[in-house]
Amino acid sequence: MRGHRITAVTVDTLLEEVALVPAAGNDERTVRFGRVEGRARWRLIDDGWRFDAPVLRVGEGDARQVLDGLGVAGGRRFAVQAERIDIGPLLAVAAFSDRLSPALRDWLQRSRPQAVLRDIRVAGESGGALRAHARIERAGFQALGDAPGISGLGGVIDGDQSGFVLRLDENAPMRFDWPSGFGVVHTVKLAGDIAGWRDGAGWRVATGALRLDGGSFAADVRGGLGWQGDGSRPRIDIAARLDDAAVPVAKGFWVHHRMPPAAVAWLDAALQGGTVRDGRAIISGDLDDWPFRDHQGLFEATARIEQGEIRFQPGWPAVEELDADVRFVAEGFDVSGRGRIAGVAISRIEAGIDRYVGGRLSVDADGDGDARRLLELLRQSPLDDSIGEHLASLQASGPARVGFALRLPMKKGSHTEIDGSVDVDGIKLSDSRWTWRSTRSAVAPATRAAASGPTA
């Protein structure tokens, strides 16, 4: 002591079953540290104080944190220096502070953010300049409600009082977990820099060039997010260029909680093969207005499908050798191109869903080819169940043009409507059960069929 004032304190301790309990006694918010072992010294210095811990270890087993060498200084000038800090428990303690907003405190308690910081160096002046540096390992937080979670993020961060730059570690795969959205975990490698800076009352986080590599998919992304500082969702302005990928990879990116089960089921069954090329995507707008139904923002993704295989309706043969342009806009999509179905050339295919919620799937197609192949197509379709005896006895040859239309409302209890036409121009047609032949030109309507539609 000096002048009846404590100027230094030395602690050498070993404590068991240490816990921090809220004053209200809420067990759910209790932070348990278990074992705490330390040898540390606190002392007054000019214009402040300093804390040094040659030995400081918290927890037991795999959860033990080794904070040996921690140094903290406070006062008009402050500093932190440490070789390693696990910030998870520290953030759990921070959630007790009434200096944080109730929403942030609730998020800290429920999402359990985690990260290991190494080579920490922080120095600054109260209300003035600040410099910070650290290497981040295994950063992440749990998915919460309809919000995604991440884990495994790594990189090196440098910052000052106005912002920061995070240089991502491409050798540290990040797991993106969105149970209510994608429904599957995507593991990606990230390469590039992410910067954050103050923007008025809020913050903006953006990248000029970010590379994502998920193995079966990859993309180059630029743009960012802007928080207004009023507790609302951020504004997003992001553009992406997608590498070539297999068509079925798209099944891992449906936003399930924003799409009806019927739409997801149809897309999962339809996308069977092919390659997506020249993929581009842009999203711009306030996420409070997502999914931009009334043009408050923009979401558009375009690509080209080569050698695609799409099964538009169960029971019917798939469209193969599909070359088409696909476009996703707001909460719908459309496809336009050409292909083949059961050997019949399809010169025009136009398909799409106008709205995932309460909308309708439409498919329109025109084709031409030999009537013999057209008969084979009908024999491989659900029509064979009702008129198979007649189709089996028919023989046909010669040129024919066909039209096909399908309508499937994305509503529970709805039915699929199938319609079409056949324009036969001098084909040879015979029936093995009869002794006649026909070569007369005609235009005949195809069988109209109705089948059960979405059940969810």
Side-chain angles (χ1 to χ4, degrees):
M1 296 183 66
R2 182 183 304 163
H4 304 288
R5 182 184 181 189
I6 297 175
T7 59
V9 177
T10 300
V11 177
D12 193 345
T13 186
L14 176 59
L15 303 175
E16 303 282 355
E17 298 182 8
V18 178
L20 187 60
V21 182
N26 187 338
D27 289 339
E28 293 183 0
R29 294 181 54 196
T30 297
V31 180
R32 303 185 184 280
F33 297 99
R35 180 187 178 100
V36 175
E37 176 184 1
R39 186 171 70 252
R41 178 178 175 82
W42 175 92
R43 59 191 173 90
L44 288 176
I45 59 175
D46 292 341
D47 298 323
W49 52 268
R50 181 180 177 93
F51 173 85
D52 295 282
V55 177
L56 182 57
R57 299 166 188 179
V58 181
E60 300 176 86
D62 294 338
R64 188 175 73 158
Q65 300 181 61
V66 178
L67 304 176
D68 295 356
L70 175 65
V72 181
R76 186 173 64 85
R77 296 181 179 180
F78 58 87
V80 178
Q81 179 174 315
E83 294 304 315
R84 181 187 186 279
I85 295 178
D86 185 341
I87 68 170
L90 300 180
L91 292 175
V93 172
F96 286 95
S97 173
D98 57 9
R99 294 187 177 184
L100 303 181
S101 68
L104 178 56
R105 291 166 63 184
D106 180 67
W107 183 81
L108 289 172
Q109 292 161 9
R110 298 172 60 199
S111 65
R112 301 180 182 275
Q114 302 286 331
V116 173
L117 303 182
R118 295 186 183 274
D119 305 325
I120 305 107
R121 304 290 185 270
V122 179
E125 296 182 0
S126 181
L130 168 70
R131 291 289 184 271
H133 168 89
R135 181 158 55 92
I136 302 173
E137 297 176 355
R138 303 195 300 276
F141 48 85
Q142 295 181 6
L144 191 61
D146 287 333
I150 64 171
S151 61
L153 182 68
V156 175
I157 186 169
D158 288 281
D160 59 21
Q161 69 276 10
S162 299
F164 67 87
V165 174
L166 172 62
R167 297 174 179 83
L168 294 163
D169 181 358
E170 61 182 306
N171 297 314
M174 184 195 76
R175 299 175 76 254
F176 184 90
D177 184 16
W178 194 7
S180 66
F182 296 155
V184 296
V185 176
H186 291 294
T187 301
V188 297
K189 292 183 177 180
L190 304 175
D193 296 348
I194 297 176
W197 63 93
R198 294 185 183 277
D199 185 10
W203 276 80
R204 183 161 182 81
V205 176
T207 179
L210 178 64
R211 177 68 175 172
L212 293 83
D213 188 345
S216 61
F217 65 91
D220 293 299
V221 179
R222 56 188 174 86
L225 296 165
W227 284 263
Q228 296 88 348
D230 56 5
S232 63
R233 293 177 179 176
R235 177 183 175 83
I236 185 170
D237 295 284
I238 287 179
R241 183 186 63 80
L242 312 179
D243 285 14
D244 295 351
V247 167
V249 169
K251 299 178 184 181
F253 293 92
W254 310 138
V255 184
H256 289 73
H257 71 294
R258 293 288 187 178
M259 300 170 63
V264 173
W266 183 85
L267 288 165
D268 283 346
L271 305 184
Q272 299 197 356
T275 302
V276 177
R277 301 191 189 280
D278 301 328
R280 300 288 189 274
I282 184 169
I283 177 171
S284 178
D286 193 320
L287 288 179
D288 284 323
D289 300 321
W290 175 260
F292 308 143
R293 293 187 180 95
D294 299 318
H295 308 290
Q296 308 97 323
L298 172 66
F299 169 68
E300 182 173 355
T302 61
R304 182 165 52 88
I305 296 176
E306 290 186 358
Q307 293 297 299
E309 181 177 346
I310 310 294
R311 189 176 298 277
F312 286 102
Q313 179 68 6
W316 285 81
V319 174
E320 300 175 318
E321 301 178 28
L322 176 67
D323 290 329
D325 294 320
V326 59
R327 185 176 68 126
F328 290 82
V329 177
E331 52 175 355
F333 80 93
D334 58 73
V335 178
S336 177
R338 61 186 181 181
R340 303 182 72 85
I341 178 169
V344 177
I346 305 299
S347 58
R348 180 186 71 94
I349 298 175
E350 294 181 356
I353 295 178
D354 54 355
R355 297 186 315 278
Y356 296 127
V357 179
R360 182 178 69 170
L361 165 68
S362 299
V363 180
D364 294 284
D366 297 320
D368 55 76
D370 191 275
R372 178 178 59 82
R373 291 188 179 276
L374 177 59
L375 268 180
E376 287 300 317
L377 166 61
L378 297 178
R379 289 166 181 159
Q380 297 176 45
S381 78
L383 297 178
D384 193 61
D385 295 335
S386 56
I387 58 173
E389 178 184 355
H390 305 291
L391 293 174
S393 62
L394 286 175
Q395 299 294 325
S397 63
R401 292 184 294 275
V402 297
F404 174 82
L406 178 148
R407 301 294 182 266
L408 173 60
M410 296 285 109
K411 298 177 181 178
K412 184 177 181 180
S414 61
H415 292 80
T416 302
E417 296 182 0
I418 299 175
D419 200 359
S421 64
V422 180
D423 182 355
V424 291
D425 184 9
I427 70 167
K428 295 180 180 180
L429 184 67
S430 64
D431 189 319
S432 60
R433 297 170 299 181
W434 307 92
T435 58
W436 61 271
R437 290 177 180 270
S438 174
T439 60
R440 188 171 68 88
S441 299
V443 176
T447 301
R448 181 184 296 272
S452 296
T455 60

